[in-house]
Amino acid sequence: MTTPGKPDQSTGEPALGGTTTVVETACPLDCPDACSLAVTVKQGKVVTIDGSRKNPVTDGYICAKVRRFGDRVYGPDRLLYPAVRSGRKGSGQFTRITWDEAIGLVASRFEKAKAEAGAESILPYSYGGSNGLLTQDNIDAQLWRRYGTSRLARTVCAAPTGAANAALYGKMSSVTYQDYPEAALIILWGVNPSASGIHIIPFVREAQKRGAKLIVIDPRTTPLAKSADVHLPVKAGTDVAVALAMHRYLFANGHADEAFLRDHTTGADTLRERAEPWHLARAAEVAGVDAAALETVARMYAESSPALIRCGWGLERNRNGGNAAMSVLALPAVGGKFGVRGGGYSMSNSASWNIERTWIDAPEPATRIVNMNHLGRALTEYDDPPVNVLFVYNCNPAATVPDQRRIIKGLEREDLFTVVFEQVMTDTALYADLLLPNTTFLEAYDFAKGYGPISLDLGRPVIDAVGEARPNADVFGELAARLGVLKSNEPSGELDLMVTVLNTLPDRISEPLREGAMPSPPGGFTPVQFVDVFPNTPDNKVNLFPAALDASAPMGLYQYQPDPETARYPLALISPASERTISSTLGELARPDVRLLMHPDDARARGLEENDVVRIFNDLGEVHCPLTVAPSIRPGTISLPKGIWRRSTRNNSTGTALVPDTLTDLGGGACFNDARVQVASLANA
Ligand SMILES: Nc1nc2c(c(=O)[nH]1)N[C@H]1C(S)=C(S)[C@@H](COP(=O)(O)OP(=O)(O)OC[C@H]3O[C@@H](n4cnc5c(=O)[nH]c(N)nc54)[C@H](O)[C@@H]3O)O[C@H]1N2
Ligand SMILES: Nc1nc2c(c(=O)[nH]1)N[C@H]1C(S)=C(S)[C@@H](COP(=O)(O)OP(=O)(O)OC[C@H]3O[C@@H](n4cnc5c(=O)[nH]c(N)nc54)[C@H](O)[C@@H]3O)O[C@H]1N2
Ligand code: SF4
Ligand SMILES: [Mo]
C-alpha cells in the first residue's frame, strides 16, 4: 500500500523540502466547517494558506484566522524543544532537555504518584485541541485507562446540547448548510456564524434572496441579526422560557402536529403540561423582550414550512442550558417541521459518521471522574486522592475554563507536577514543570471532521515538524511503551495509528480517503430528517420526556431556574466566539486591544464613556480593559471575547476569571454566561 494522502505531486516536485508546491489538506480546528485547504509551501516552509475547492461547502475560501496560522507555526511563542521548569511556577523560565529525558521524567513521575497515592492522583486533562480523529481518544485514552488514572468528563462545551440531542433524537444527523436555501424560515438561535462558522452565511443569504424570513435570538445584534426580520435580544439564560412559550402557542392554537406526535414521539403530554404556564407575556417578561415580538416569532414558526432552527452553543452556557436545548430542539417535533428539505433542526453533525473507536482496545476503568469545569477545585480541594500530577494536552485551561483564579492557584502548587504538551507557550504552559512540544495540523496527519456540513477528510503534513515538535500519537505511544502498557502489536505512533484507523473504518469511508477524495456519509451529505435519517433512540422515536434527564436536572425538565443576578452584580457578562481566535488558539498573535462591549444606557448609568479603561468585577475576580459603548448588545448584558489570553488585558486576567464553576442543569456543562458582574471606571477604583 502506498502511504495514504501523500502530499500532492501535481507540480512534479516533492512537497517536503522542494521548491514551491501547493499541498491539499484540511483544517481540523474546533470549527464546524472543516475547510479544505491549499497550502503553498516553498523550500519546506509554509508561505500562504488558502481554501481549496475540494470541499464544495467551504468552496475555496477560509477565515482570516487560519490564513495567519503560519504566524503560529513560526512565531516566537512556538515550543521547539522539551524543557523543564527552571524558575518559579508561571515565570516562563525553562531549560531544554532531550525527548528521551522528557519521556523518562514523565514516566518516573507517574510511577512515583502511583506508588504514593494511587494512579488516580494523576489527572489527564484535555479537550478538542485540533478537533480531528487522530489527536484525541486514541493511544492517549488507552494509556490512561490501562494505567488507571482519574478520568475526565469533557464538558467544557456541547455537554448540555449534546445531552439534549442524545436524549431526544439519539444525535440524529441534522440539516446541513447546503439545504438552508430550501427553508422558508430560518431561526438562528444562540449562534453567530459570522464568527463561528462563516460558511453558513452564503446559504442563509441565498435563502433570504429566495424569500425566506430570518429570525435571530441573541442578546447581541450580530451581523446577521442586522438583516433579520425579527431580532429577539433575549437575556442570556432565558431561552427555555421563550421556547416553552412557543410550544404553548403551538399546542394552544392548533399548530401542534398531532399525527406526528402520535406516530413518532413519546412524552408529548408531559411537555405540553410543562409548557402550559408559559404564556407569551410571562416568557417575554422573563426574557426581557417585547411580548408582541415574541408572539410574531411564535406565529411565524407555527405558520412556516420548511422551517429551520439552527441551534447554536450560545444558549447552553448557563444554568438553564440543557433545558434550553431540550425545549428548542423539541420545537420541530411539536410543530411538525420534519420530513421536508430545509425543515427541522441544524446542530452538531459530529455523530453523523457513526464512527466507533474500535481501534483502541481498553475498557474504561471504574476510576474517579473529574468534571473538567471543576479543575480549580480538583487542584486545590480534592484529597481522596489529591491531584499530584496533571497532564494537559489539546487544551489551555488557564484561559478557557471557568474560575481562572482558582485554576492558577492550583497550578501554582509546589507539590503539583504539571506536564503541558502544547504547540505554543500558552497561559497554561507557563505553569508547566515539563513542556512537551507538539506539531500543528500543518505538520501532522489527522482526520478533519466537519460538524456543520457533514464531511470527513484526511489532513496531512505539508511541512516537516518544526523544531523537535511531535504529534500526540508518537508521544503517547512512547510513554505507554515506557510505562509497560502498550502491547507489541498495537499502534505506537502517528503513521501506525493513521493506517490502523484507515484499515478499521468501513471501506466506503476509507477507500475514498485513500484516493484523496471525500467519502459520502451514511445518511448522505444533505440528509432530510425523517426521510433519510431517523432518531437513533432505542424505539426510533423522539423522546420528548426522557425520564432520566428529568431526574437529573435540579428542577426537572422544561423548567426555568431564575437569573442569578444580584443587586451587587447586576450585569450579565457573556463571552462568545470572536473572529480572532478558535477558543484560545491563535490568541498569542498580535491583536487590537481586547474591549468590553456595553450598551449606552448601562454606560451612562455608570458615568462611563467610549475608551474608558474599566474594571469588570465580582467576588471571583476582576478584569481591566478599555470600553466600547454601542447599542449592539442589549442593556444589562455586556460582552468580552471568548478565548483571550491573560496578556491581552491590562491586569493579566480574562473573562473566565469572572465565571463561576457552577454546572449546567443537564450534562455538567460550563456556565460561562452566568457570570454576574459590576463595571466601574478604573480611574475611580
Ligand atoms: N472564530 C471562531 N469560530 C469558532 C470558535 C471560536 O472561538 N472562534 N469556537 C468554536 C467552538 S469551540 C464552538 S463551541 C462554536 C460556538 O459557536 P456559537 O454557537 O456561535 O456559540 P457562541 O459563540 O458561544 O455564542 C453564539 C451567540 O450566542 C449569543 N448568546 C450568549 N448567551 C446566549 C443565551 O443565553 N441565549 C441566546 N439565545 N444567545 C446567547 C452570543 O451573543 C453569540 O452571538 O464555534 C466554533 N467556531
Ligand atoms: N469565557 C469563555 N470561555 C470559553 C467559552 C466561552 O463561551 N466563554 N467557550 C468554551 C468552548 S466552546 C470551548 S470548546 C473551550 C475550548 O477550550 P480549549 O480546549 O482550551 O481550546 P483551545 O483554547 O483551542 O486550546 C486548545 C489547545 O490545544 C493545543 N493543541 C491543538 N492541537 C493539539 C494536538 O494535536 N496536540 C496537543 N498536545 N495540543 C494541541 C492548541 O495549541 C491549544 O493551545 O473553551 C471554552 N472557553
Ligand atoms: S477555522 Fe473554520 S473557517 Fe477557518 S479554516 Fe478552519 S474550518 Fe475553515
Ligand atoms: Mo466549543
Side-chain angles (χ1 to χ4, degrees), residues 69 117 173 205 239 254 337 354 356 360 372 494 574 634:
F69 204 88
S173 292
R205 294 295 184 213
D239 303 278
K337 304 301 182 188
N354 302 328
E356 284 184 38
I360 61 166
M372 72 184 295
E494 186 195 39
I574 61 172
R634 59 166 291 131

Side-chain angles (χ1 to χ4, degrees), residues 99 105 175 230 291 294 318 359 381 388 524-525 568 600 628 681:
W99 265 110
L105 181 57
V175 180
V230 186
L294 176 53
N318 63 77
W359 54 84
E381 293 175 9
N388 292 333
F525 286 106
R568 281 166 69 212
T628 293
S681 167

Side-chain angles (χ1 to χ4, degrees), residues 417-432:
F417 187 76
T418 302
V419 184
V420 180
F421 183 19
E422 248 304 345
Q423 298 168 353
V424 291
M425 187 67 88
T426 59
D427 287 348
T428 310
L430 281 172
Y431 286 88

